[in-house]
Amino acid sequence: MSSHVRVAVVGAALLLAATACTSGGDSKPAASPSSTAAGLAAGWAPKLKTVAVAATGICNQAGDQACAEHLTDIALALTELEQAVTAAGGKGAYPRTVAEIDKANAAVDAYTDHECLDDVNASIQGSPCPDDARVIMSAPVVLRLSLEADEARG
């Protein structure tokens, strides 16, 4: 039963991270990199690089608590980035970035829906959990490139 509680807690954290962009105007601009004349890429690249760093093999077992915590940290950073992108012009200004955020948010939802946390079968062949984790873990790198590409085009 305690594993179900942990699944619920991590699931709630991941779901919160995926849906926090719909919250009211209580955001704290000082807590996240701001939009400057140079765009979002300059401010967000270091934060995305930092959140991507993890212990080697942290998600070798996609159902481990350490993996879920790392994925949650990434999901929370993505939510902050999503809010910053929305404030900076959204899909019109950052089409590639918005598409990649949507892809990462879908993986966060899938990781939760597949109940990967504490699932002993989460890392076996055929389980969707490793793919969900891979998409989430690669999101910070992909998003750094997407931000740069969007700003270079426009």
Side-chain angles (χ1 to χ4, degrees):
M1 189 69 154
S2 67
S3 67
H4 292 294
V5 172
R6 278 184 270 162
V7 168
V9 169
V10 171
L14 290 171
L15 184 61
L16 174 64
T19 60
C21 67
T22 61
S23 65
D26 294 340
S27 64
K28 300 175 186 173
S32 60
S34 62
S35 176
T36 65
L40 294 174
W44 274 93
K47 182 167 185 140
L48 291 169
K49 185 175 182 179
T50 299
V51 77
V53 174
T56 301
I58 194 162
C59 284
N60 281 350
Q61 298 298 318
D64 284 352
Q65 180 69 34
C67 179
E69 289 173 6
H70 179 60
L71 299 178
T72 299
D73 291 343
I74 293 170
L76 292 171
L78 296 180
T79 297
E80 292 177 30
L81 175 59
E82 186 172 24
Q83 293 169 346
V85 167
T86 299
K91 190 172 186 170
Y94 291 92
R96 290 180 182 106
T97 303
V98 169
E100 291 302 328
I101 289 171
D102 290 346
K103 190 183 302 182
N105 283 339
V108 168
D109 291 343
Y111 185 87
T112 304
D113 292 345
H114 295 139
E115 299 181 355
C116 297
L117 178 63
D118 288 333
D119 182 352
V120 296
N121 295 317
S123 294
I124 65 169
Q125 186 172 357
S127 170
C129 297
D131 287 337
D132 299 338
R134 179 190 47 78
V135 171
I136 298 166
M137 288 180 66
S138 65
V141 174
V142 172
L143 284 164
R144 285 191 346 239
L145 298 173
S146 297
L147 282 166
E148 291 172 8
D150 284 336
E151 290 176 357
R153 76 168 177 89

